[in-house]
Each structure stands twice: as structure tokens, then as C-alpha cells.
Amino acid sequence: MPNLTNDRLAENPAPAIRAYLGGSFDPVHKGHLQMAMYVYQHLLPIAKQQQRALHVSLLPNARSPFKNESTNPKHRLAMLKLATLNTPLQIDELELWQAPPVYTIDSVRTLRQRYPHDSLIFIMGMDSARSLDKWKDGLRLTDYVDLWVFNRGGFSDSDNNLFDTNNHLADKKPTMQTLANLQTQLHAQLPIEMQNKTTDSPAELVALPTPTPTPTQTQADSGVLKNPHQGRIYIDPRPISAISSTQIRQQLQQLGNQPNIMPSAEAQITSIPSINDIIGNTESNPFAKWLNPAIYQYIIAHQLYSAAQFR
């Protein structure tokens, strides 16, 4: 006799859990991967308990509307593929090949249309979350997805403290009371309109939704397509490293501006410290702390972020 229970589970699997970390990834660095992997590792036991598929994806954008220059998408995609080798992380090219500007609100709406019953989480730093009222329809993101907000230690892309080891806040271990106080402080930094949507538990972001009829095309087109429950915001108070791709690019460009450093790809490879050197000597070349060696090698080979790139 067939197992009808298992057959029904196979035909109607539980809604998946999908989390997305968006950004330019220009270049992708270890801070990105640590953030995405932390979410994956935290959600995996929940997904297994609920017998749900888990997908954590990096969502590279075409070009941020806030940035004037962006590296060719093919290079950023190639670096992402190198960075995610031998990890459970995935890459979603939804935005990558679209003509800029591409706005997050449009992407999360598309994802909700694509996965109407799944739990959808958008991952971001507090530096982004506190400015959602300045994004295009940023306050409406929770109409379509839940938000997992990380504390980036109060730094932003405009900071120039890439190699100041005193600012690596992720290396410190705050107490539970400190984290609770910090979470309260971070809550107050959200736009006022978003403050009533916070939750203390990331488990609430993946609560199994109440089954609802599949939305009609008219609903989807009108923007009515939303989560079955109001989108929630989880503020993770543990500070993560405040490194940014902007800071890494600036440092690489400074290397490229040195005389006779990059007359050609071959000269660049011999002039800049080798992969073995950066792995074993983070003091003299702190790129080892932030860049996967394969990414560093790719940047050198393709002369990215150097003065030669813009000649």
C-alpha cells in the first residue's frame, strides 16, 4: 500500500526559506560571506526541523543608483562564483543584467511574485536600514519580505579605517546585557515607520505562513502581492566587521597609482605581493584578512580597481 502521507508531502512540499544578501559585491569580500553564512547556519536547524528547503543567495545588483561607477558585471559574477565555491551559498542574477538603475523594491516584488508562499528574507546592514526612508519605496520593503538587519558597528562605506585593527568590532565578544542594550539603541535608529515591525527572534521571520490562494495576475500587477503576515524586522545586535567594498577599492587604487606598479597584467602580478605572501603576512598586506586569495588573484590578473583600469 502506498504511503499517502509521504506522497502528499512530495506533492505539496513545505514552503522554502529564502534569504538574499544584496549589494554590488565590487569586490566580494569575506565580510559578505560571513554575513550570509551566519544567516545560513542559523536558519539551517529551523529548516531541518520544519522539513523546508533553505536557500541563501547573494543578489548582485546591476549598478547601485548611488554609485557612478561599477565594475563590469561579468567580473563581479566571476568573483562571486570563486567566492562561493565549496559553500552552500547561491548566486541569484535577477538584478545583474538589468539596465540600471534597478531598485530593491522592484526586486523584492519580483521575488514575492516568483515565490508567493515561501518565507523571504532580505539581509542588510543597519547603515542601510536606517536610511530606508530615503530609498525608492524603501518603507514598503516589508510588504514583500522580512528583514534581517546586522549591526555594522556604526561605520559606513565613507569611512577610511580599513586597516585600523581597533575597529574590527566583530572580534570582540559583548555580553548579553550589552547586546540587549545595543539592540534597543539600534531599534531607535530605524525610520519611525518601521519601528513597530521589529521582533526579538529571527525564528519569527520563518514562521510557516497560513495557506492562501495563489494571487491572480491582476493582484500581482497592482502591487497587492504581499506576505501572508506583515513583514517583520529582526535586528541582530552582534556587531559584524565594518569593512566595505568601497574601502577595499580605494586601497587597491592606491596601489595602482604607485609608479611602475601596473604597466601590464604581467608586471602587476610580479610587483604586488604574491598570494602566499598575503596569506602568511596579514600585517604587511591586510587584504588577506578581507579577500579570498582567489579573488585577490583574479583582481590582479584582470587589473581591476587600478589606475590602469581607467586609462
Side-chain angles (χ1 to χ4, degrees):
M1 179 179 294
N3 188 326
L4 298 180
T5 300
N6 288 339
D7 288 347
R8 280 194 293 269
L9 287 174
E11 293 174 5
N12 301 291
I17 299 172
R18 302 178 185 275
Y20 298 87
L21 175 60
S24 61
F25 303 108
D26 194 11
V28 59
H29 55 70
K30 292 181 181 179
H32 294 132
L33 301 181
Q34 289 167 358
M35 201 183 313
M37 281 301 303
Y38 178 84
V39 171
Y40 180 88
Q41 291 165 354
H42 199 92
L43 292 178
L44 185 60
I46 300 174
K48 287 182 176 179
Q49 182 182 25
Q50 298 179 351
Q51 296 184 314
R52 302 170 68 182
L54 173 62
H55 307 276
V56 178
S57 302
L58 304 181
L59 184 71
N61 58 32
R63 180 178 63 79
S64 168
F66 303 110
K67 297 179 181 178
N68 295 325
E69 294 178 341
S70 184
T71 303
N72 191 309
K74 72 175 185 180
H75 288 310
R76 291 189 286 123
L77 180 60
M79 288 188 285
L80 281 171
K81 289 180 177 179
L82 289 172
T84 54
L85 281 176
N86 303 315
T87 78
L89 302 179
Q90 303 173 20
I91 302 168
D92 192 310
E93 300 179 31
L94 170 65
E95 296 183 353
L96 189 61
W97 307 109
Q98 296 184 48
V102 179
Y103 296 99
T104 301
I105 187 64
D106 298 324
S107 297
V108 298
R109 186 182 292 115
T110 298
L111 290 171
R112 177 53 62 193
Q113 291 171 351
R114 184 188 293 176
Y115 307 114
H117 304 300
D118 292 353
S119 296
L120 301 184
I121 300 171
F122 198 81
I123 307 164
M124 65 174 61
M126 177 52 75
D127 54 330
S128 295
R130 68 167 62 97
S131 63
L132 283 175
D133 53 348
K134 298 178 176 62
W135 293 24
K136 178 186 176 184
D137 292 332
L139 299 179
R140 295 189 58 204
L141 289 184
T142 50
D143 286 353
Y144 305 97
V145 296
D146 296 288
L147 303 181
W148 188 316
V149 179
F150 279 94
N151 172 26
R152 290 191 66 203
F155 299 112
S156 68
D157 282 357
S158 62
D159 294 318
N160 295 314
N161 49 18
L162 173 56
F163 301 138
D164 182 354
T165 55
N166 294 325
N167 286 324
H168 295 158
L169 300 184
D171 295 337
K172 302 178 182 179
K173 295 182 179 180
T175 65
M176 293 297 293
Q177 184 60 48
T178 300
L179 290 177
N181 293 339
L182 184 56
Q183 192 169 42
T184 300
Q185 295 172 18
L186 294 171
H187 175 275
Q189 294 180 26
L190 289 174
I192 294 176
E193 300 88 339
M194 310 290 277
Q195 293 181 9
N196 65 342
K197 300 180 181 181
T198 58
T199 174
D200 293 333
S201 172
E204 287 196 29
L205 304 186
V206 293
L208 282 167
T210 303
T212 56
T214 302
T216 64
Q217 186 63 40
T218 301
Q219 288 176 311
D221 291 341
S222 64
V224 174
L225 187 58
K226 302 180 181 181
N227 280 332
H229 62 286
Q230 182 189 40
R232 307 293 300 202
I233 303 172
Y234 172 63
I235 300 176
D236 197 320
R238 281 158 294 201
I240 62 171
S241 298
I243 184 63
S244 75
S245 296
T246 300
Q247 295 164 327
I248 292 176
R249 289 197 305 273
Q250 289 171 348
Q251 295 295 325
L252 287 166
Q253 286 170 347
Q254 287 180 18
L255 284 178
N257 287 329
Q258 296 176 18
N260 301 321
I261 286 286
M262 300 182 184
S264 66
E266 292 77 11
Q268 184 179 17
I269 291 172
T270 58
S271 301
I272 292 180
S274 69
I275 299 302
N276 290 335
D277 288 342
I278 72 164
I279 291 174
N281 192 353
T282 58
E283 192 69 29
S284 63
N285 196 321
F287 288 117
K289 183 174 179 66
W290 301 116
L291 291 177
N292 180 309
I295 304 301
Y296 186 83
Q297 189 172 37
Y298 186 95
I299 290 170
I300 293 172
H302 294 273
Q303 293 186 282
L304 302 182
Y305 317 118
S306 67
Q309 180 185 8
F310 303 108
R311 288 174 185 163

